[in-house]
Amino acid sequence: MALGSTIFKATVQIADLNRHYYADHQLTLARHPSETDERLMIRLLSFLLHVDERLKFTKGLCADDEPDLWQHSLSGDIELWIDVGLPDERRVRKACSRAERVVLCLYGGRTADLWWQKNAEPLQRFTNLEIINIAAKESKALAGLARRNMRLNCTIQDGSLWLSDDSNSLSLTPQHLKETQ
């Protein structure tokens, strides 16, 4: 018998001072049996960094043709495609042709660094692609906040993100490896 997904609920107060976005979000995240707390929280972090009322979590690992998060326009076009992890170039190429803007959120320390060394040159041609890397120390600390029921406060300002729950807080500074042009 196959294992089912584990459901995580997150209540997040977001204050994005850069974009003047202030809102509370009630989020439901399904963690696939093969997914780690670290990857789950990187998906949540990706949501926080790109928060919008239309940004949605997808089936993720269960669907090859969907990203981890996406945002559609009112006409149904894909405005934003967010993938977490280290996708192959073919998947990135497909995403860049389908979406107005694509964001890759890398994590994994040395593995992510090696992935970037291998893929930096071929990915430069995609003008609608942004690549963010989360340092290993930060992604591990982020995983420590994972709970089945989370109440989080998030503040974003000047390239940094502060995240806290009732007993822990952490600061993250995502490294932008590639910006959209």
Side-chain angles (χ1 to χ4, degrees), residues 112-170:
D113 293 341
L114 292 172
W115 181 92
W116 178 239
Q117 287 175 5
K118 176 184 173 193
N119 292 286
E121 187 176 328
L123 295 180
Q124 290 304 319
R125 67 185 171 153
F126 299 110
T127 59
N128 61 335
L129 176 63
E130 176 183 345
I131 302 175
I132 299 168
N133 186 34
I134 308 302
K137 183 178 179 182
E138 292 177 344
S139 66
K140 298 288 186 208
L142 186 61
L145 294 178
R147 305 280 183 277
R148 295 280 305 273
N149 289 296
M150 298 178 266
R151 297 189 65 74
L152 301 169
N153 294 307
C154 173
T155 303
I156 301 169
Q157 183 178 21
D158 299 331
S160 293
L161 180 139
W162 293 271
L163 198 58
S164 64
D165 62 14
D166 291 335
S167 57
N168 302 297
S169 65
L170 63 107

